[in-house]
């Protein structure tokens, strides 16, 4: 029996509250971040109630991490998943006028437009909300999903139906199937009313309208969502059975969205050039606080749909649109302490622990300090009063120190030359800004970060294995290497007995692991966490080498920088000698090879060729472009070739399949002939590339 709150001494109450707060935070994390709750809804509610009772009796003893102050009471089960048939993209950001001018220039160049050719851009407010995709089949709303990671989102159909300005039926005429993309948001006024009500009822308030919208949409009980005054703006399409050319411009698409019954994000404007875009931006920046909703910038979209299609995407963002963000918001606060975090490649990153301060509606208590030189350059010291800023989703930064407020006894910060996690020497290589721990795999921080990277969303994406669990299991020697993840099933019973785990959550985790025994080669490569090998580079490598075995052999051979293997590696467009050296260095370490070999006994890395969805005459071919192309820019030709499954290389080798020769071609054409590689004229290339490109969001 637990004692009634009234009969507890203050000391007992404080201890009980701290303990409960910790448990609640633990279960919140299991639910929200790991999607793997291990207690029932009712059990969770009991914890919350016990805490609330204590807090009412001893309000002054509430711990720092007071769960009552946190946003979004966590429901107990998850949403089902929805795979987007057309991925939901994000946008690249522009921060300066120059970034915008570059965006316009890039488009002109890519499309090879003469200077006299007029351009048109649709400029729209960028609403700070939660993006969603609404699917209409024969005009009826059949499914709604959040963006998620862009490929898979959460099924929020029931909740979306409660949003007042989301039509349940489209006004005719409409295509058989159409996905409407847009933003779910809250007006500022509605947000404040909502928070005032919550405060009056003793409920935690939301930090900003975006959080409030997200928290409201993620309610499992849609009657709660219905009680929130959410709204929806439409701005793009996903899958549709109609032809793109039905809406030749963004402007005509907007008219269509309005005709179907959607609200649009206004004020929008058609702009012809950089000057007009910037004019719109500055006007909106002025008026921003007079708008009924929060915006964090504006979005520029090239108006013509056929040009959008030609421009296509890079990674997850279209080339034809950009978000121009408003300037960062700043605040002053005290820097309490500088702590050092150790990353997966051993990099020591300094982080400022701040006295919590509100910047642009969000409470900030940490800021990045980048590296040793940055601290020295700005002479940042513990105890200083500093100006911090945050821009959009960027991690807050320390801008400068207020020297007038510096304490007399303050001393310059001295950066550690040993790893704070494992005590190994931390060194700076010549010319590098970063100091790295030399502890390698004996360093717990590096080992845990690497494992964390391995299981992260864009790598192996193993749900239920968050940072905390990885750390615990690593410490208990159950996860010495990535391969050990696939042997966790041998410890099923022991795992289920661990505190905070339980049989159900272990079963879910082991299922998630089993589902990852086959992995596309590019994700497999990315997961290895090789320095400088991000998703894009991993894709290039997978495409170029096709199989894990071929890649492994080639990287071992490339150790010799005179070898054909090295030349082949560095001939891959966008892989220069620095990146190549990091990749080769990874294979130069015997423990990495054993990690890799151990892993291949557990996981089947799918050959890249088998992953491609549609075969084209260019699938798997390596192409080199040389000379000036007249019909399209080099960038467009490259993007086109890649969209058809080819790899574009920078230099000709025996592995080249085609060399496309434009005007004034130089030595590469001659080299191609020498090596017996097929040479194509621009016209022949255009004919070869003439199948339609895959369609994206627009
Ligand atoms: S267009 C392919 N237009 O901003 C283009 N996005 O930072 C897809 N957003 O994921 C997006 N207002 O959630 C577009 N007027 C607007 C927007 C907007 C807000 C969001 C959207 C997107 C994110 C990218």
């Amino acid at each position: 029996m637990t004692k009634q709150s009234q009969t507890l001494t203050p000391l007992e109450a404080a201890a009980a509250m701290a303990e409960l707060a910790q448990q609640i935070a633990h279960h919140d994390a299991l639910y929200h971040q790991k999607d793997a709750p291990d207690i029932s809804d009712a059990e969770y509610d009991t914890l919350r109630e016990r805490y609330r009772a204590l807090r009412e009796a001893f309000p002054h003893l509430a711990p720092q991490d007071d769960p009552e102050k946190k946003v979004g009471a966590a429901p107990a089960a998850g949403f089902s998943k929805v795979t987007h048939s057309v991925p939901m993209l994000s946008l690249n950001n522009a921060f300066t006028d120059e970034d915008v001018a570059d965006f316009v220039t890039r488009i002109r160049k890519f499309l090879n437009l003469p200077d006299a050719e007029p351009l048109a851009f649709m400029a729209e407010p960028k609403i700070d909300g939660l993006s969603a995709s609404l699917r209409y089949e024969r005009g009826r709303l059949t499914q709604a999903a959040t963006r998620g990671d862009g490929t898979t989102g959460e099924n929020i159909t029931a909740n979306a139906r409660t949003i007042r300005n989301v039509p349940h039926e489209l006004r005719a005429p409409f295509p058989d199937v159409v996905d409407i993309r847009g933003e779910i948001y809250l007006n500022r006024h509605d947000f404040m009313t909502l928070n005032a009500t919550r405060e009056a009822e003793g409920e935690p308030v939301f930090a900003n309208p975006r959080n409030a919208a997200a928290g409201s949409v993620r309610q499992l009980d849609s009657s709660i969502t219905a009680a929130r005054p959410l709204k929806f703006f439409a701005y793009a399409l996903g899958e549709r059975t109609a032809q793109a050319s039905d809406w030749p411009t963004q402007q005509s698409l907007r008219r269509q969205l309005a005709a179907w019954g959607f609200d649009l994000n206004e004020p929008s404007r058609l702009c012809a050039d950089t000057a007009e875009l910037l004019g719109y931006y500055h006007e909106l920046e002025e008026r921003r606080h007079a708008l009924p909703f929060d915006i964090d910038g504006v979005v520029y979209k090239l108006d013509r749909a056929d040009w959008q299609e030609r421009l296509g995407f890079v990674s997850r963002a279209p080339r034809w649109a950009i978000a121009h963000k408003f300037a960062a918001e700043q605040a002053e606060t005290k820097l309490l302490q500088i702590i050092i975090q150790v990353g997966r490649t051993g990099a020591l990153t300094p982080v400022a622990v701040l006295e919590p301060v509100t910047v642009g509606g969000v409470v900030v208590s940490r800021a990045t300090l980048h590296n040793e030189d940055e601290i020295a350059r700005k002479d940042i010291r513990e105890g200083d009063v500093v100006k911090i800023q945050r821009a959009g989703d960027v991690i807050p930064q320390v801008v400068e120190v207020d020297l007038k407020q510096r304490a007399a006894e303050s001393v310059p910060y001295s950066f550690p030359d040993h790893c704070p996690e494992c005590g190994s020497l931390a060194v700076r290589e010549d010319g590098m800004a970063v100091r790295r721990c030399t502890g390698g795999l004996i360093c717990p921080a590096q080992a845990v970060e690497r494992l964390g990277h391995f299981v992260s969303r864009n790598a192996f994406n193993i749900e239920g294995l968050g940072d905390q669990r990885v750390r615990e299991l690593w410490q208990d020697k159950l996860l010495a290497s990535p391969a050990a993840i696939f042997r966790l099933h041998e410890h099923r019973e022991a795992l289920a007995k661990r505190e905070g785990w339980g049989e159900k959550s272990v079963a879910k985790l082991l299922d998630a692991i089993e589902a990852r025994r086959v992995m596309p080669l590019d994700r497999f490569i990315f997961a290895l966490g090789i320095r400088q090998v991000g998703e894009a580079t991993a894709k290039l490598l997978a495409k170029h080498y096709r199989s894990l075995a071929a890649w492994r052999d080639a990287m071992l051979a490339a150790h010799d920088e005179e070898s054909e293997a090295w030349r082949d590696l560095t001939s891959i467009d966008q892989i220069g000698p620095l990146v190549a050296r990091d990749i080769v260095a990874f294979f130069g370490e015997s423990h990495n090879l054993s990690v890799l070999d151990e892993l291949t006994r557990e996981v089947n890395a799918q050959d890249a060729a088998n992953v491609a969805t549609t075969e084209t005459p260019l699938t798997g071919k390596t192409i080199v472009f040389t000379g000036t192309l007249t019909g399209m820019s080099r960038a467009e030709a490259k993007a086109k070739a890649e969209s058809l499954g080819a790899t574009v290389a920078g230099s000709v080798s025996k592995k080249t399949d085609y060399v496309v020769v434009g005007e004034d071609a130089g030595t590469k054409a001659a080299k191609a002939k020498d090596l017996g590689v097929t040479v194509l004229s621009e016209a022949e290339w255009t004919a070869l590339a003439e199948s339609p490109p895959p369609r994206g969001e627009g």
Side-chain angles (χ1 to χ4, degrees):
M1 274 294 281
T2 47
K3 268 185 172 181
Q4 289 293 308
S5 32
Q6 287 81 353
T7 61
L8 290 174
T9 68
L11 211 62
E12 286 172 324
M17 282 165 86
E19 157 92 6
L20 283 166
Q22 216 176 359
Q23 287 182 15
I24 291 170
H26 170 75
H27 291 296
D28 280 347
L30 279 185
Y31 174 75
H32 283 294
Q33 281 117 46
K34 278 121 211 160
D35 234 348
D38 61 2
I39 57 172
S40 70
D41 217 353
E43 284 168 307
Y44 178 85
D45 287 344
T46 313
L47 288 179
R48 281 238 167 220
E49 265 159 39
R50 291 219 321 255
Y51 181 83
R52 222 169 279 146
L54 282 167
R55 195 175 181 280
E56 246 165 53
F58 303 98
H60 55 292
L61 294 180
Q64 277 249 301
D65 57 338
D66 186 357
E68 292 297 293
K69 288 212 179 109
K70 276 191 214 144
V71 160
F79 292 88
S80 66
K81 299 276 188 283
V82 171
T83 301
H84 303 297
S85 50
V86 172
M88 288 185 77
L89 302 170
S90 63
L91 293 169
N92 286 327
N93 291 329
F95 295 101
T96 63
D97 292 3
E98 207 185 338
D99 292 345
V100 177
D102 287 349
F103 164 70
V104 175
T105 311
R106 267 198 311 276
I107 288 182
R108 277 199 176 278
K109 256 195 152 149
F110 189 100
L111 296 174
N112 224 0
L113 299 178
D115 291 344
E117 178 80 45
L119 284 182
F121 293 92
M122 198 67 208
E124 307 169 358
K126 184 171 184 312
I127 294 103
D128 215 1
L130 183 82
S131 51
S133 184
L134 310 178
R135 189 175 185 80
Y136 289 82
E137 291 173 11
R138 284 187 215 92
R140 282 166 177 277
L141 176 61
T142 54
Q143 185 176 39
T146 62
R147 188 171 86 125
D149 63 1
T151 310
T152 311
E154 287 172 324
N155 188 332
I156 51 155
T157 313
N159 291 348
R161 286 189 210 277
T162 71
I163 301 174
R164 284 156 206 65
N165 70 344
V166 164
H168 288 203
E169 285 179 26
L170 300 179
R171 274 188 228 123
F174 41 73
D176 244 16
V177 174
V178 60
D179 283 344
I180 311 287
R181 304 264 160 101
E183 203 84 354
I184 300 176
Y185 71 101
L186 273 171
N187 272 346
R188 202 178 306 113
H189 171 79
D190 291 333
F191 163 71
M192 297 208 288
T193 314
L194 172 64
N195 262 356
T197 317
R198 288 173 73 83
E199 198 155 19
E201 289 169 1
E203 289 194 76
V205 297
F206 291 108
N208 54 45
R210 205 210 98 85
N211 283 3
S216 304
V217 168
R218 294 191 86 254
Q219 290 294 332
L220 278 180
D221 177 353
S222 53
S223 69
I224 299 180
T225 312
R228 308 269 168 87
L230 293 168
K231 289 200 164 64
F232 180 77
F233 274 137
Y235 49 63
L237 298 185
E239 186 186 341
R240 67 266 192 177
T241 43
Q243 284 300 307
S245 54
D246 291 349
W247 307 288
T249 59
Q250 173 71 13
Q251 208 184 12
S252 59
L253 173 63
R254 284 172 65 88
R255 262 187 241 120
Q256 174 66 78
L257 290 167
W260 281 332
F262 291 96
D263 286 343
L264 305 180
N265 41 355
E266 297 290 1
S268 64
R269 184 182 299 165
L270 205 61
C271 299
D273 54 25
T274 307
E276 286 187 24
L277 292 174
L278 295 177
Y280 170 84
Y281 172 84
H282 291 297
E283 257 182 64
L284 237 71
E285 195 175 29
E286 290 270 295
R287 285 174 57 189
R288 132 183 221 201
H289 297 289
L291 294 176
F293 40 78
D294 270 5
I295 62 176
D296 57 351
V298 299
V299 183
Y300 309 135
K301 299 173 185 173
L302 186 67
D303 199 38
R304 267 175 68 161
D306 56 340
W307 284 352
Q308 290 181 2
E309 204 153 310
R310 273 176 61 190
L311 282 152
F313 317 89
V314 201
S315 305
R316 299 197 173 123
R319 285 196 188 82
W320 47 266
I322 201 160
H324 191 181
K325 294 295 198 71
F326 291 136
E329 310 212 45
Q330 300 190 326
E332 247 191 27
T333 188
K334 189 163 176 181
L335 191 160
L336 301 172
Q337 195 195 353
I338 295 175
I339 57 171
I340 304 288
Q341 288 177 346
V342 185
R344 104 182 114 85
T345 57
L348 267 49
T349 306
V351 174
V353 179
L354 307 167
E355 212 162 75
V357 61
T358 307
V359 197
V362 173
V363 179
V364 170
S365 56
R366 300 230 163 168
T368 174
L369 293 169
H370 301 291
N371 56 49
E372 193 170 346
D373 291 347
E374 174 90 353
I375 299 181
R377 193 169 62 74
K378 293 182 178 163
D379 187 18
I380 298 168
R381 306 180 182 185
E382 293 183 325
D384 274 346
V385 172
V386 293
K387 185 189 277 174
I388 60 161
Q389 71 171 26
R390 74 172 258 285
D393 312 330
V394 183
I395 309 168
Q397 294 173 302
V398 173
V399 188
E400 60 185 14
V401 174
D402 184 351
L403 291 175
K404 289 197 296 289
Q405 298 194 56
R406 175 170 281 171
E409 68 276 13
S410 126
V411 288
Y413 178 72
S414 96
F415 203 90
D417 54 8
H418 282 81
C419 173
E421 297 274 349
C422 70
S424 302
L425 203 63
V427 297
R428 273 177 82 163
E429 284 168 39
D430 275 352
M432 302 297 272
V434 177
R435 193 176 279 278
R436 283 179 203 280
C437 162
T438 54
L441 289 184
I442 68 137
C443 176
Q446 286 188 57
V448 169
E449 289 288 330
R450 274 184 199 215
L451 286 164
H453 170 79
F454 185 88
V455 301
S456 65
R457 188 143 86 168
N458 297 332
F460 268 65
N461 190 18
I462 298 178
E463 288 186 32
L465 208 51
D467 291 348
Q468 185 54 37
R469 282 187 169 183
V470 168
R471 184 162 297 123
E472 280 175 32
L473 294 176
W474 189 84
Q475 273 160 358
D476 293 354
K477 308 216 169 5
L478 287 171
L479 274 193
S481 74
I485 294 169
F486 295 91
R487 294 192 297 262
L488 278 178
H489 61 87
E490 294 165 11
H491 308 281
R492 179 184 279 267
E493 275 151 39
L495 290 176
K497 288 204 192 96
R498 296 181 77 93
E499 212 193 307
W501 287 52
E503 261 167 49
K504 254 195 290 173
S505 93
V506 169
K508 197 171 164 192
L509 170 62
L510 294 178
D511 283 350
I513 292 172
E514 287 312 309
R516 296 291 181 266
R517 288 209 187 251
V518 179
M519 189 52 56
L521 181 59
D522 61 322
R523 288 178 80 128
F524 185 97
I525 294 176
F526 172 65
L528 296 176
I530 301 171
R531 224 196 274 177
Q532 302 210 64
V533 179
E535 281 175 89
T537 306
K539 280 204 170 78
L540 292 173
L541 291 168
K543 213 150 113 189
H544 190 83
Y545 293 101
R546 311 258 130 209
S547 78
L548 180 60
W551 179 55
R552 186 185 186 281
D553 292 348
M555 294 307 94
L556 288 171
H559 187 69
D560 170 8
E561 294 196 6
E562 298 294 312
S563 65
E564 176 65 23
W566 170 264
R567 274 193 295 278
D568 187 40
L569 173 61
T570 48
S571 79
I572 302 175
D573 204 41
Q574 285 167 32
I575 296 192
L578 293 181
V579 177
R581 264 179 217 130
D582 274 337
I583 303 171
V584 171
F586 176 89
F587 283 86
E589 303 226 16
S590 60
H591 68 81
N592 285 336
L593 289 179
S594 32
V595 162
L596 189 59
D597 293 340
E598 203 195 342
L599 189 59
T600 48
R601 283 196 285 276
E602 305 290 346
V603 177
N604 174 9
Q606 270 175 307
D607 289 0
N610 302 337
V611 177
T613 41
T614 42
E615 288 277 322
T616 79
L618 287 169
T619 306
K621 303 288 190 225
T622 300
I623 303 186
V624 173
F625 291 97
T626 178
T628 314
L629 302 179
T630 48
M632 56 174 79
S633 67
R634 184 73 76 81
E636 182 171 6
K638 177 167 180 287
K640 181 84 194 176
E642 287 174 348
S643 77
L644 295 170
T647 306
V648 177
S651 59
V652 181
S653 76
K654 275 185 289 189
K655 298 213 172 140
T656 312
D657 294 292
Y658 300 116
V659 173
V660 178
V661 181
E663 283 172 12
D664 301 322
T667 54
K668 287 180 193 169
K671 181 152 186 216
K673 286 195 189 108
D674 278 354
L675 292 173
V677 173
T678 310
V679 175
L680 300 177
S681 68
E682 185 176 345
E684 287 169 319
W685 147 250
T686 314
L688 199 61
E690 230 166 36
S691 44
R695 214 197 265 164
E697 189 168 27

